Amino acid sequence: QVTLRESGPALVKPTQTLTLTCTFSGFSLSTSGMCVSWIRQPPGKALEWLARIDWGDDKYYSTSLKTRLTISKDTSKNQVVLTMTNMDPVDTATYYCARNGRGNSYAFDIWGQGTIVTVSS
Amino acid sequence: SYVLTQPPSVSVAPGQTARITCGENNIGSKSVHWYQQKPGQAPVLVIYYDSARPSGIPERFSGSNSGNTATLTISRVEAGDEADYYCQVWDGSLGIFGGGTKLTVL
């Protein structure tokens, strides 16, 4: 059974750096074609893709946020970490990690439950 | 930049067919994926690669993609289908979501 779970602070202050961890099981990020992405959703708004890391350690970022984002993986721990610098209240959202892969045209087939992050002083 | 346009809302009576569109120039050249999201829950993949159904998704859900429009079709709509639906593509290495469509079952 494939599962993903997001963890991180529920509250961050403006200008701080957010660090989120996605811990997964049931698949390996060292398997060719496998990827993990981060997606967020502000309250009452649409989904927004943030970043993706691939089995070969290739990394891709949202054009509008790439200067603030860093994605990395620890294959031995089955974890993917996303950092976002210079947090602002507009970054308040539910943050999801999701598996995607070449086998299903990189659709996000399994999602974590999401973690709510509020940015406020 | 690539922008996926969805109608904000679609309403349908139980038992009828709902069609949710996702538009962009030449979207037919891309693989389109569709997600269902119910209030307070994470999204669920309901259609991938334009028209493929993941295991566990009812046959009532189908998809098509041609020209400038991709369409998610839900046949014999049930009350439990009421949710937000999002289309998604990859524009090169960038993930793009549509703005979402709220499906209301009357």
Side-chain angles (χ1 to χ4, degrees):
Chain A
Q1 182 188 7
V2 174
T3 63
L4 301 97
R5 185 182 75 251
E6 305 87 351
S7 59
L11 178 66
V12 297
K13 290 180 168 48
T15 76
Q16 286 187 336
T17 294
L18 171 69
T19 299
L20 296 173
T21 300
C22 175
T23 303
F24 57 87
S25 63
F27 69 98
S28 172
L29 201 41
S30 60
T31 299
S32 179
M34 202 62 66
C35 319
V36 170
S37 288
W38 284 94
I39 299 126
R40 71 178 180 179
Q41 186 174 36
K45 296 190 176 181
L47 300 167
E48 178 185 19
W49 174 80
L50 300 177
R52 179 183 118 189
I53 190 164
D54 292 357
W55 72 100
D57 209 34
D58 289 326
K59 302 164 187 177
Y60 307 97
Y61 297 101
S62 161
T63 301
S64 61
L65 293 168
K66 62 183 177 181
T67 61
R68 300 173 52 205
L69 296 173
T70 302
I71 191 169
S72 62
K73 64 182 174 74
D74 186 330
T75 304
S76 64
K77 292 183 178 179
N78 281 350
Q79 290 181 333
V80 171
V81 175
L82 182 76
T83 62
M84 181 180 293
T85 61
N86 195 24
M87 292 293 284
D88 183 272
V90 300
D91 297 313
T92 294
T94 299
Y95 287 75
Y96 297 98
C97 61
R99 185 183 78 162
N100 56 318
R102 187 172 53 207
N104 60 3
S105 297
Y106 298 96
F108 306 114
D109 64 344
I110 307 294
W111 296 62
Q113 64 187 10
T115 187
I116 298 173
V117 177
T118 301
V119 184
S120 175
S121 54
Chain B
S1 63
Y2 214 77
V3 177
L4 299 177
T5 301
Q6 297 183 237
S9 62
V10 168
S11 299
V12 64
Q16 299 304 302
T17 297
R19 293 179 180 85
I20 299 172
T21 58
C22 177
E24 175 53 291
N25 185 41
N26 202 28
I27 194 174
S29 66
K30 298 188 181 297
S31 291
V32 179
H33 314 305
W34 290 92
Y35 304 89
Q36 176 194 68
Q37 186 180 33
K38 297 181 178 178
Q41 298 183 18
V44 172
L45 179 68
V46 293
I47 292 289
Y48 67 97
Y49 196 20
D50 298 339
S51 59
R53 250 188 338 273
S55 173
I57 300 301
E59 291 183 6
R60 301 184 298 104
F61 288 80
S62 62
S64 63
N65 184 19
S66 178
N68 298 325
T69 305
T71 303
L72 172 68
T73 301
I74 309 171
S75 305
R76 303 181 299 282
V77 166
E78 303 173 355
D81 298 331
E82 188 161 285
D84 294 327
Y85 291 84
Y86 295 90
C87 59
Q88 181 256 321
V89 302
W90 289 94
D91 183 22
S93 56
L94 300 179
I96 309 292
F97 283 97
T101 298
K102 180 175 181 58
L103 175 66
T104 299
V105 181
L106 300 170

